[in-house]
Amino acid sequence: MSERVLSILLSELGSLLGIESLCTDQDGLCQLVFDRRHVVHLMGHPRGYLLISCRIAVQSGHPTPDAVFLRANYAQAAGGIVLARTPEGHPCAQVAVELSSARAHDVLELLDKLIVEAERWERHLQSAQDSPDGPRMTHMRGIV
């Protein structure tokens, strides 16, 4: 059932984006690229969620400590955008939406919010890499 719901949702989202054949690949992953730099993954989660992830670009050789992500995720709980690492270890912004109630227009809005959040973190992490003190969280309160 959830594969069928995901297929319909992606088709509707594709129509909004002007991509008529938007679907998942053989691994269940749908990849979109916005502005030639934001790689967004959409995939169904076994627990009935649509998982949307956007990689956060950071300079190679400057790993982001996991403690930065954990502090940023504090109080985000269910429904908020959180920071995570991809299975390959890359930082990303991520949000999960209950698949049964997901609507294409809402997903489109979430895509925009996710990209804005990823851009915000790219700026923050870049300034932290330029700082001898490393990442600081004082001005990152109120993360979506």
Side-chain angles (χ1 to χ4, degrees):
M1 158 101 174
S2 63
E3 286 181 25
R4 185 177 184 294
V5 173
L6 178 59
S7 178
I8 292 168
L9 178 62
L10 289 178
S11 177
E12 292 172 355
L13 180 62
S15 292
L16 292 174
L17 293 170
I19 305 171
E20 293 307 316
S21 60
L22 190 63
C23 61
T24 59
D25 63 13
Q26 66 274 10
D27 297 324
L29 179 70
C30 176
Q31 180 173 291
L32 298 168
V33 179
F34 295 94
D35 299 329
R36 296 184 185 173
R37 66 186 193 107
H38 297 292
V39 179
V40 176
H41 290 158
L42 297 98
M43 70 180 86
H45 187 275
R47 292 189 180 150
Y49 285 88
L50 171 65
L51 185 61
I52 309 170
S53 302
C54 180
R55 275 188 58 180
I56 297 172
V58 294
Q59 290 180 348
S60 61
H62 294 286
T64 305
D66 288 339
V68 171
F69 292 160
L70 293 172
R71 283 192 306 264
N73 289 338
Y74 179 73
Q76 293 305 308
I81 294 174
V82 296
L83 300 181
R85 290 202 183 276
T86 66
E88 298 81 26
H90 302 288
C92 68
Q94 195 172 68
V95 66
V97 181
E98 195 170 337
L99 194 53
S100 63
S101 63
R103 303 290 176 258
H105 284 88
D106 297 333
V107 172
L108 190 58
E109 187 177 316
L110 274 175
L111 287 171
D112 185 52
K113 289 179 180 180
L114 196 64
I115 290 169
V116 166
E117 191 65 18
E119 289 174 339
R120 186 163 100 158
W121 272 96
E122 287 170 355
R123 287 188 305 273
H124 172 67
L125 293 174
Q126 180 59 48
S127 67
Q129 290 170 356
D130 295 341
S131 167
D133 297 331
R136 302 174 97 179
M137 300 304 298
T138 55
H139 70 285
M140 296 303 291
R141 298 185 201 279
I143 294 169
V144 177

